[in-house]
Amino acid sequence: NNKGRQTWEFDATAGTPELRAQADRLRENFTANKDKQHHSSDELLRLQCADRLRAKKYAPPSSEIPDQLTPERVEAHLKGAISFYECLQQEDGHWPGDYGGPMFLLPGLIIALYTTGALDQVFTPQHKVEALRYLANHQNADGGFGLHIEGGSTMFGTGLSYVMSRLLGMGPDEDLTKRAREWMHARGGATYITSWGKFWLAVLGVYSWDGMNPLTPEMWLLPYSKWTGIGYLHPGRYWCHCRMVYLPMSYVYGKRGTCKETPLTAAIRQELYPMPYSKIDWNAARNQCAKEDLYYPHPLLQDVLWWVLYKAENVLQGSFLRRMALAECMKHIHYEDENTRYIDIGPVNKVINMLCCWLEDPNGTPYKKHLVRVADYLWVAEDGLKMQGYNGSQLWDTSFAVQAIADTALLDVSAACLSKAHQYVEQSQVVEEAAPPLSRYYRHVSLGAWPFSTRDHGWPISDCSSEGLKAALTLAALPANKVGDPIPAERLYNCVNVILSYQNSDGGMATYENTRSFHWLEILNPAETFGDIIVDYSYVECTSACITALSAFRKQYPNHRRGEIASALRRAEAFVRSIQRPDGSWYGSWGVCFTYGCWFGVTGLTALGHNYHNDPAVRRCCDFLAIRQRKDGGWGESYLSCQDKVYSQLDGDSHVVNTAWAMLALLAAGYHKVDPTPLHLGARFLLRMQQPTGDWPQQHISGVFNRNCMITYANYRNIFPIWALGQYRRLILLGEEEIRH
Ligand code: LAN
């Protein structure tokens, strides 16, 4: 680990023999459990603190949880929780954690590396063993693979996992491959894979480019200006993740960049389909998609558009226009690579950009620089090796951890840990603007922002900037001789500048950029499994984080851009109110789900002085949460809420993370002044779930993107229970008034 950059290496002699035996046991137990437990507990990482854990000062009390909790009792649990969590913190101050979940990432990487011939260079035999272990652990009972580790089988997950297993050396008739193939064949075969799956199969040469809807690179030559009308269709207006994925995809498509045929690819080509490869009707295949995968079906208009562009390919391929478009794409690809130090914005464009660099020049420096940054995305846990959804969630987790731990007001046990975290917060703020001219590359300002992961990654995000700023302000309010010197005001001003610049005309904040186009553009969304990917919309999470950050900032710096901040807060508040649902809840887009949204909705309003007493909106949300509390005292929401947009209760135990979010919302609103009972019950649930080490168990998956794909946040199970219990102890058991934001 170095400044948040995490890489895994195999070392057969690392640790003590006892530790290695424990690691083996963890792996074996995971395999034994595979049909019941689809989540990764990230325990392997937590084992490495076993030695440090033995020396730790505090353990949570083991006697039964009393009916009446005392401040001392909760304090003892909190000390145990903090001292466990401190063991996990790295030297540079951040908390590492598994950021896996999606199942379509690793196969793309393997296909790209196989195509460029670098598979054996990047993947050692141990990498391959662990990657195959991962597949085996996440195969569903019906033989297929999901979009993400907890999901039901899809053609996308199954087709890509199948190919991956073959490229890593599995035979076609092993148990895993046989069952996966049967799953596919029973549903018509791999022509029914989603468009992103079609792309990867075409790259490998096991699917025809004629079976793809066009990814016309000429889109990048459209005028950008709004005044042209057509400018609204320009990719520069899309959500950056969508734009940055389709950019290299259209380059590869425009060039028909395909892997050289090998005996293995020739074999896979025959295995993927129930009919001979030569008999496939590629024109029909373009729009085929398995029903298991279909979350956002193409509107008719889209199919008409693809048909026109498909026909246009006859003219465009090899034309002067195509050459211009490809050159333009490559310019943007190099810009993205250089400005993220070859990490790139996410796991998908990372891999396809790498492929593009190779297609452009297989001996060139850009391609080589890409290869060394692949490791940043890989993660090993007891379920195997996976590719993460980002190069980690370092800054995000660290800034929440800072706020949570500081909010316990147990500085005597946490000063050292907060001081290390302070270093990470300081070292990850973006202090250099991306290369000019920003507008030429459709980039928003970054100077002063905080990223989600590391400074090297560097893409600015509205709510990461806000959480980073709140962490910095929280630390600045603590004694400097304990946690280090505050970040200079000038740098915080830069952050405020970024946050203010994020406000959209609807008053809300989107993720990385402003909203640049209209919702109707979503009819162009060709990715059947993802919803709402075309435009960067205002979200309750992002908007509320900006509100709480700006309001915390103005408490410490009341005169800086006073008028602008006041008016930004008013408009943001109006936005948050406008998207509250009639039942009082807020839909969360990046965590599971209404519980998460409610936490943000409520804290956004309470930061501005509203509470359960004086504001019907806050009251309605608290009531929404209160009636969803469960018999065990906790809250538990299923990931199905995200896709169905209806609150869905989890089977079995409540979830510690949902419980903490619900408690944090109720506490911020002052609900305990009306009725503390739900909070007592929630706190007791959290204490009951705490393990003797001070850790909490990893339960179902907590994160989500694009409505339908889930992602693991391994640190949430520590951060949020600590935060909720800390506030519970201060506000209820000690009767303090102050709510910290
Ligand atoms: C993330 C991770 C962080 C997340 C929050 C900061 C939590 C959120 O509040 C705003 C959106 C953001 C930045 C976010 C957006 C979508 C991401 C980047 C991810 C969920 C991580 C992975 C995902 C990315 C799109 C995955 C690749 C798949 C594609 C469809 C391109």
Side-chain angles (χ1 to χ4, degrees):
N1 169 59
N2 179 14
K3 294 199 189 103
R5 182 181 182 187
Q6 312 152 337
T7 49
W8 289 82
E9 272 165 37
F10 181 74
D11 178 353
T13 58
T16 58
E18 188 198 334
L19 206 58
R20 289 200 294 275
Q22 273 183 32
D24 287 341
R25 265 200 306 281
L26 269 178
R27 291 194 177 97
E28 280 154 24
N29 287 343
F30 196 90
T31 312
N33 242 335
K34 74 178 172 192
D35 289 335
K36 281 167 263 150
Q37 184 187 342
H38 274 273
H39 36 260
S40 155
S41 308
D42 208 15
E43 290 303 332
L44 212 51
L45 175 75
R46 284 157 195 251
L47 274 188
Q48 64 155 5
C49 33
D51 291 334
R52 272 177 280 166
L53 255 181
R54 241 168 263 132
K56 83 193 176 97
K57 293 187 287 276
Y58 303 99
S62 56
S63 58
E64 209 180 305
I65 314 289
D67 285 340
Q68 294 284 326
L69 290 172
T70 59
E72 295 73 31
R73 175 76 193 220
V74 177
E75 182 178 325
H77 284 271
L78 277 170
K79 286 184 169 168
I82 294 171
S83 85
F84 172 82
Y85 198 43
E86 190 179 2
C87 289
L88 203 62
Q89 189 179 25
Q90 302 296 293
E91 274 312 304
D92 66 2
H94 93 280
W95 277 273
D98 188 330
Y99 199 53
M103 291 291 292
F104 59 93
L105 301 174
L106 193 52
L109 174 65
I110 306 273
I111 290 173
L113 290 175
Y114 185 82
T115 303
T116 67
L119 184 55
D120 291 333
Q121 181 187 337
V122 179
F123 272 58
T124 63
Q126 288 82 21
H127 280 83
K128 292 185 185 172
V129 168
E130 293 304 323
L132 287 173
R133 181 197 307 284
Y134 178 69
L135 280 190
N137 277 327
H138 295 290
Q139 185 167 33
N140 289 328
D142 63 6
F145 293 80
L147 176 63
H148 54 85
I149 55 174
E150 293 198 19
S153 302
T154 58
M155 193 63 81
F156 190 28
T158 312
L160 290 184
S161 300
Y162 182 86
V163 169
M164 165 176 155
S165 69
R166 295 284 284 123
L167 295 181
L168 289 179
M170 250 192 195
D173 291 316
E174 296 186 36
D175 178 62
L176 183 147
T177 41
K178 229 168 102 196
R179 287 166 56 223
R181 198 168 55 244
E182 277 163 18
W183 192 95
M184 290 191 286
H185 286 196
R187 287 158 185 83
T191 54
Y192 286 85
I193 201 167
T194 58
S195 53
W196 289 25
K198 290 178 164 67
F199 171 80
W200 280 122
L201 297 184
V203 167
L204 190 63
V206 298
Y207 186 93
S208 167
W209 288 107
D210 292 335
M212 285 212 40
N213 281 322
L215 293 159
T216 315
E218 286 74 16
M219 290 285 273
W220 287 85
L221 301 177
L222 289 174
Y224 182 82
S225 165
K226 290 182 196 172
W227 308 115
T228 60
I230 194 135
Y232 283 107
L233 291 177
H234 190 286
R237 296 189 180 276
Y238 301 170
W239 184 40
C240 54
H241 276 282
C242 180
R243 171 170 92 235
M244 295 323 263
V245 165
Y246 282 104
L247 169 71
M249 268 193 185
S250 57
Y251 181 85
V252 177
Y253 175 80
K255 275 206 141 170
R256 305 294 193 270
T258 317
C259 182
K260 207 166 84 244
E261 190 179 316
T262 67
L264 182 55
T265 60
I268 296 174
R269 204 187 243 202
Q270 298 302 336
E271 293 158 18
L272 289 172
Y273 313 96
M275 67 291 259
Y277 191 71
S278 56
K279 293 269 151 57
I280 296 173
D281 176 352
W282 293 112
N283 189 36
R286 281 192 301 125
N287 287 315
Q288 284 170 351
C289 178
K291 67 177 190 317
E292 289 82 356
D293 294 58
L294 205 55
Y295 183 70
Y296 182 79
H298 294 177
L300 185 66
L301 194 66
Q302 197 188 114
D303 288 337
V304 173
L305 182 70
W306 299 151
W307 184 83
V308 172
L309 291 176
Y310 188 65
K311 292 289 164 205
E313 270 304 296
N314 297 329
V315 190
L316 288 171
Q317 249 190 301
S319 70
F320 173 68
L321 206 61
R322 175 64 40 107
R323 280 202 301 281
M324 259 175 58
L326 293 179
E328 175 70 6
C329 289
M330 214 52 222
K331 217 182 227 163
H332 287 276
I333 290 169
H334 287 314
Y335 179 90
E336 159 75 347
D337 288 347
E338 281 158 23
N339 281 280
T340 59
R341 286 135 289 265
Y342 292 81
I343 298 169
D344 294 339
I345 194 172
V348 180
N349 83 324
K350 157 72 193 171
V351 170
I352 313 179
N353 279 14
M354 178 167 76
L355 185 62
C356 292
C357 290
W358 179 80
L359 285 170
E360 190 189 42
D361 178 5
N363 299 311
T365 315
Y367 168 60
K368 290 180 188 146
K369 287 189 172 174
H370 258 297
L371 284 177
V372 287
R373 281 296 197 169
V374 167
D376 295 52
Y377 279 96
L378 302 180
W379 190 262
V380 181
E382 60 276 19
D383 61 341
L385 176 143
K386 63 205 71 176
M387 185 171 195
Q388 304 190 96
Y390 222 72
N391 65 325
S393 52
Q394 295 87 326
L395 180 275
W396 184 248
D397 290 331
T398 304
S399 46
F400 276 141
V402 164
Q403 296 175 70
I405 294 171
D407 215 351
T408 62
L410 298 172
L411 199 57
D412 51 333
V413 291
S414 58
C417 148
L418 288 175
S419 137
K420 273 207 259 171
H422 192 266
Q423 282 175 34
Y424 191 74
V425 172
E426 192 278 317
Q427 290 199 350
S428 53
Q429 189 182 10
V430 180
V431 288
E432 236 175 77
E433 192 51 90
L438 295 181
S439 62
R440 168 74 177 80
Y441 295 97
Y442 315 107
R443 287 287 304 257
H444 195 82
V445 283
S446 313
L447 179 67
W450 266 279
F452 182 66
S453 53
T454 60
R455 182 181 278 174
D456 268 4
H457 181 293
W459 272 82
I461 305 172
S462 66
D463 55 357
C464 299
S465 301
S466 299
E467 300 303 341
L469 178 60
K470 278 190 280 176
L473 292 167
T474 303
L475 291 161
L478 299 172
N481 64 346
K482 294 235 163 90
V483 297
D485 292 333
I487 296 180
E490 207 53 46
R491 280 174 56 178
L492 304 186
Y493 296 165
N494 287 339
C495 182
V496 168
N497 187 48
V498 177
I499 295 178
L500 289 173
S501 74
Y502 272 123
Q503 193 155 41
N504 290 320
S505 56
D506 63 8
M509 279 79 171
T511 62
Y512 294 73
E513 291 161 347
N514 294 112
T515 303
R516 296 177 179 173
S517 197
F518 301 109
H519 194 264
W520 57 257
L521 227 66
E522 215 57 57
I523 56 170
L524 293 184
N525 172 2
E528 301 84 348
T529 30
F530 302 117
D532 294 339
I533 64 168
I534 303 285
V535 180
D536 202 347
Y537 305 97
S538 293
Y539 293 99
V540 67
E541 294 99 314
C542 300
T543 312
S544 158
C546 292
I547 293 179
T548 48
L550 289 176
S551 76
F553 173 80
R554 74 172 171 185
K555 282 192 196 121
Q556 284 187 29
Y557 297 89
N559 294 320
H560 184 77
R561 299 178 76 171
R562 189 190 182 116
E564 280 169 275
I565 290 180
S567 102
L569 286 172
R570 267 194 306 277
R571 292 172 54 216
E573 177 186 342
F575 173 77
V576 168
R577 290 186 189 281
S578 74
I579 56 165
Q580 187 176 22
R581 296 163 66 110
D583 61 10
S585 67
W586 278 273
Y587 174 82
S589 295
W590 310 105
V592 178
C593 172
F594 291 96
T595 335
Y596 187 64
C598 286
W599 174 49
F600 281 101
V602 167
T603 48
L605 296 181
T606 57
L608 300 172
H610 306 285
N611 58 40
Y612 190 85
H613 283 286
N614 66 15
D615 188 340
V618 175
R619 198 174 315 143
R620 281 193 294 130
C621 186
C622 290
D623 295 340
F624 173 92
L625 289 172
I627 57 174
R628 283 166 180 77
Q629 190 169 23
R630 295 143 56 108
K631 280 212 195 69
D632 59 11
W635 281 260
E637 194 176 354
S638 155
Y639 80 80
L640 296 172
S641 290
C642 305
Q643 52 191 59
D644 301 342
K645 303 192 178 175
V646 186
Y647 193 99
S648 167
Q649 295 278 3
L650 208 56
D651 291 335
D653 284 340
S654 291
H655 197 299
V656 295
V657 176
N658 291 136
T659 303
W661 286 334
M663 287 177 66
L664 286 166
L666 295 176
L667 285 160
Y671 190 87
H672 50 285
K673 294 179 187 160
V674 189
D675 180 10
T677 315
L679 291 148
H680 290 310
L681 293 172
R684 295 186 64 234
F685 170 76
L686 291 180
L687 297 186
R688 261 201 325 276
M689 293 293 282
Q690 194 180 22
Q691 297 173 347
T693 53
D695 196 5
W696 272 276
Q698 176 64 48
Q699 300 171 278
H700 288 278
I701 202 153
S702 285
V704 61
F705 56 91
N706 304 126
R707 315 284 171 246
N708 200 30
C709 191
M710 310 309 297
I711 188 156
T712 305
Y713 284 85
N715 280 295
Y716 279 10
R717 68 180 191 264
N718 303 96
I719 296 170
F720 291 107
I722 290 178
W723 203 343
L725 286 169
Q727 280 199 4
Y728 166 78
R729 174 178 156 275
R730 285 197 310 104
L731 298 177
I732 301 187
L733 302 180
L734 299 175
E736 288 180 25
E737 273 297 319
E738 179 211 9
I739 298 222
R740 303 177 188 197
H741 290 288

